[in-house]
Amino acid sequence: MTPIIEFKDVSFSYPPDGMNGEKVIFRDFSLKVSRGDRLIIRGKSGCGKTTLLRLMAWLEEPCAGAANCGGRPYSTYYPPDLRRQVSLVSQTPVMMDGSVRSNMALGLDEPVSGEILLSWMDRFDLDRSLLERQAGSLSVGQQQRVAVIRNLLLKPKVLLLDEPTSGLDQESGEVFVTAMGRICEEEGLTLVWNSHNASSLESIASSTFSLDGIVL
Amino acid sequence: MIIDPGFDDLAMTMILFAMVILLSIREGLNIERSLAIATLRTVVQLFFIGYVIKGLFAVDAWYIIVGALLLMMTYAAKAGLGRMKKQVPGLFLPMWVGVVTGSIFTIAVVTGVTLKIDPWYRPDVLIPLGGMILGNAMNGGSIAADRLYSEIRGSKDQIETYLMLGRDYRHAAKEARREAVRAALIPTINAMMTVGLVHLPGMMVGQLLGGVDPVVAAKYQIIIMLMVASSVTVASSVFTAMALKSYFTKNQMLNLKLLD
Ligand SMILES: Nc1ncnc2c1ncn2[C@@H]1O[C@H](COP(=O)(O)OP(=O)(O)O)[C@@H](O)[C@H]1O
Ligand SMILES: [Mg+2]
């Protein structure tokens, strides 16, 4: 079966305008993500995990090599369409001015029923009373879950999570991991999850990939 | 009764200049040189433009008048961008189209509908109105340009968040664009709030000194204020709509290099 995401001999450096840039992050890097995978990307801080997810979400452009989604080169997609299918949640959640409800609807053109939002909040163990609260007043951990719901409402094929538990204490981290595992199961979602300490994720991972030693 | 000062009378105005220089020396302001250059430039530039306009007033060919206006607008677009605190490539065309559409739309409405001038290219109307309006369009465009840059720079994370949610770059930067247009309009709105109360606009003063009936002068000033508001709004909207693209790559990513 064609992998949902395939990188072949991808090179990338900062600043992103050619391999003679200042700082090479990837050189001839290859990776396959298959449908239904729950892939954990490990590696120490600064090794390129965030950069890899940004490449997958087409927020950065490889300097060389091929990036395919569902067998088609990225360049054949309209970027917003690709980003709705390969959906990135950044490490630090960004909430816009407004309620939790309006923040969850940021990517949607059609209004969404409160019932649907509440059922997602239940699945992530978010108190229902938060729905009409100012999103910026939530704790980082709560914002992180709102951000994930916001992306999930777009029904992506692949969800990319950049260290989503880094702002959480151990207990809420585990709650989040369990919830994510269940949702992937139920929705048939492909998950790529960055973490610099992957131990707590092993329970839901189908495979892990270490960037240590690959990256220049 | 128009008082037309002779050149010798005008020379006497230099008393004011001399006083300023004396004060500057006495107080150790150390700006005599700049003051002298500024005064010289004022005199030369205004006489120059006075004679140019006098020449244009005598012209009876629409293409020369339109050509002169387009030239002025091109220069204004360049000057408006030159004033930006941070230079961003690719903004000349947006600024030019913004200034041109903002000015032409406004002038066309006023000369065609309000003043009903005949012929439509009457230089003694088009040249002064054009000069004033495109100056305002340029100001608006240049405020919008600075503000668009700082808004996009200050909301990188928000813009990227919209992009990650599959929004196109226009949607992602909508808020930044709105703020830029608002900022461009604020000086105009403030001026409209206080016009006639706190100060008399230069044009109205000029008309009064030129012997025009004060109510007629007021009518013209009303037209002018509305023209300024319209040209600033159109120029800054058109400019920002076209300029957004410069801040993104062709694959709709924020061009972070520009925003360092
Ligand atoms: N915009 C940027 N410009 C220059 N260097 C960057 C930029 N973003 C990240 N880097 C550098 O690239 C390397 C990889 O960063 P990143 O992908 O964020 O690593 P990780 O997520 O694994 O901590 C780091 O050394 C970082 O300093
Ligand atoms: Mg990172």
Side-chain angles (χ1 to χ4, degrees):
Chain A
M1 234 174 82
T2 31
I4 182 88
I5 293 179
E6 181 173 25
F7 277 20
K8 237 168 37 207
D9 300 330
V10 161
S11 299
F12 181 80
S13 56
Y14 283 114
D17 45 12
M19 281 310 274
N20 46 5
E22 313 247 318
K23 190 172 163 65
V24 179
I25 309 294
F26 296 109
R27 180 169 287 158
D28 299 334
F29 174 84
S30 299
L31 175 74
K32 276 183 195 166
V33 182
S34 304
R35 265 169 243 272
D37 268 3
R38 292 187 293 279
L39 174 64
I40 312 298
I41 308 279
R42 289 197 295 116
K44 40 184 192 306
S45 188
C47 73
K49 300 184 296 298
T50 298
T51 306
L52 178 57
L53 292 195
R54 288 177 62 84
L55 282 163
M56 288 183 179
W58 207 3
L59 288 165
E60 307 285 358
E61 181 83 28
C63 315
N68 293 326
C69 173
R72 273 170 59 192
Y74 272 36
S75 57
T76 63
Y77 285 87
Y78 177 54
D81 287 342
L82 182 113
R83 291 180 192 134
R84 246 171 276 142
Q85 294 184 31
V86 183
S87 187
L88 172 60
V89 182
S90 60
Q91 177 165 9
T92 334
V94 176
M95 294 290 123
M96 311 293 169
D97 201 21
S99 63
V100 167
R101 179 199 286 270
S102 70
N103 266 275
M104 290 202 282
L106 282 181
L108 300 169
D109 292 317
E110 311 283 310
V112 60
S113 81
E115 268 317 302
I116 293 178
L117 298 181
L118 288 171
S119 74
W120 276 108
M121 290 172 77
D122 292 344
R123 293 169 91 173
F124 277 100
D125 200 25
L126 275 172
D127 199 286
R128 289 180 155 228
S129 68
L130 296 177
L131 188 60
E132 304 300 340
R133 275 262 295 278
Q134 187 72 21
S137 71
L138 269 54
S139 74
V140 177
Q142 291 169 327
Q143 290 184 16
Q144 190 62 262
R145 281 173 277 173
V146 171
V148 172
I149 293 173
R150 178 162 80 183
N151 286 50
L152 284 172
L153 285 170
L154 303 177
K155 305 202 188 319
K157 295 198 174 113
V158 185
L159 185 69
L160 310 173
L161 297 178
D162 194 4
E163 314 215 22
T165 53
S166 62
L168 307 184
D169 58 63
Q170 177 147 9
E171 200 188 316
S172 9
E174 276 162 18
V175 171
F176 183 78
V177 171
T178 315
M180 254 348 284
R182 205 167 46 229
I183 284 157
C184 287
E185 205 72 44
E186 291 165 6
E187 308 282 322
L189 185 69
T190 306
L191 183 70
V192 181
W193 181 318
N194 272 356
S195 177
H196 64 277
N197 60 346
S199 56
S200 66
L201 296 175
E202 246 126 61
S203 56
I204 65 157
S206 64
S207 50
T208 58
F209 189 95
S210 174
L211 285 181
D212 289 330
I214 290 186
V215 175
L216 301 154
Chain B
M1 30 103 237
I2 302 174
I3 306 169
D4 177 10
F7 287 98
D8 47 342
D9 300 324
L10 189 61
M12 292 307 285
T13 320
M14 290 299 148
I15 293 171
L16 296 179
F17 173 70
M19 260 179 49
V20 173
I21 293 288
L22 273 179
L23 257 176
S24 165
I25 292 170
R26 220 185 99 94
E27 303 285 323
L29 300 182
N30 213 10
I31 47 171
E32 298 89 80
R33 218 182 112 79
S34 321
L35 271 171
I37 293 175
T39 306
L40 189 69
R41 285 192 60 151
T42 301
V43 172
V44 172
Q45 286 163 202
L46 285 179
F47 268 127
F48 173 76
I49 203 65
Y51 281 110
V52 167
I53 293 179
K54 197 178 170 119
L56 283 172
F57 276 12
V59 168
D60 189 27
W62 66 268
Y63 46 87
I64 293 186
I65 303 305
V66 171
L69 283 172
L70 281 176
L71 199 69
M72 286 156 79
M73 290 174 196
T74 305
Y75 184 76
K78 220 170 138 255
L81 281 182
R83 275 203 253 144
M84 265 186 89
K85 289 188 207 88
K86 162 89 186 184
Q87 293 300 314
V88 175
L91 295 187
F92 179 74
L93 187 66
M95 186 62 91
W96 190 83
V97 177
V99 168
V100 168
T101 51
S103 308
I104 288 187
F105 166 77
T106 308
I107 293 169
V109 168
V110 166
T111 59
V113 180
T114 314
L115 302 176
K116 303 184 200 58
I117 58 172
D118 180 41
W120 63 268
Y121 55 87
R122 249 180 74 176
D124 59 332
V125 179
L126 282 193
I127 296 291
L129 278 187
M132 167 142 42
I133 282 333
L134 70 86
N136 285 287
M138 170 191 83
N139 269 334
S142 125
I143 296 173
D146 264 333
R147 189 58 179 263
L148 189 66
Y149 172 80
S150 62
E151 284 291 326
I152 289 179
R153 192 187 143 107
S155 57
K156 275 189 268 193
D157 292 346
Q158 282 80 355
I159 291 173
E160 278 208 336
T161 299
Y162 278 115
L163 294 177
M164 289 180 215
L165 290 168
R167 293 303 193 173
D168 66 12
Y169 75 97
R170 287 195 177 280
H171 185 108
K174 203 166 64 179
E175 194 56 40
R177 186 181 159 225
R178 183 156 43 210
E179 284 306 315
V181 175
R182 283 173 61 93
L185 262 171
I186 285 171
T188 305
I189 291 174
N190 287 342
M192 292 175 85
M193 291 288 185
T194 57
V195 66
L197 295 181
V198 183
H199 80 295
L200 279 184
M203 195 225 55
M204 203 166 162
V205 172
Q207 281 203 317
L208 293 174
L209 287 177
V212 171
D213 179 278
V215 176
V216 175
K219 283 187 195 160
Y220 271 96
Q221 193 58 44
I222 292 170
I223 295 175
I224 297 289
M225 295 311 279
L226 289 172
M227 289 182 81
V228 170
S230 126
S231 65
V232 168
T233 313
V234 175
S236 57
S237 305
V238 170
F239 167 76
T240 52
M242 289 179 69
L244 277 188
K245 214 178 171 125
S246 297
Y247 288 96
F248 293 84
T249 67
K250 70 173 198 316
N251 293 324
Q252 302 209 20
M253 303 172 279
L254 258 182
N255 190 346
L256 293 172
K257 244 186 326 176
L258 282 183
L259 303 169
D260 284 343

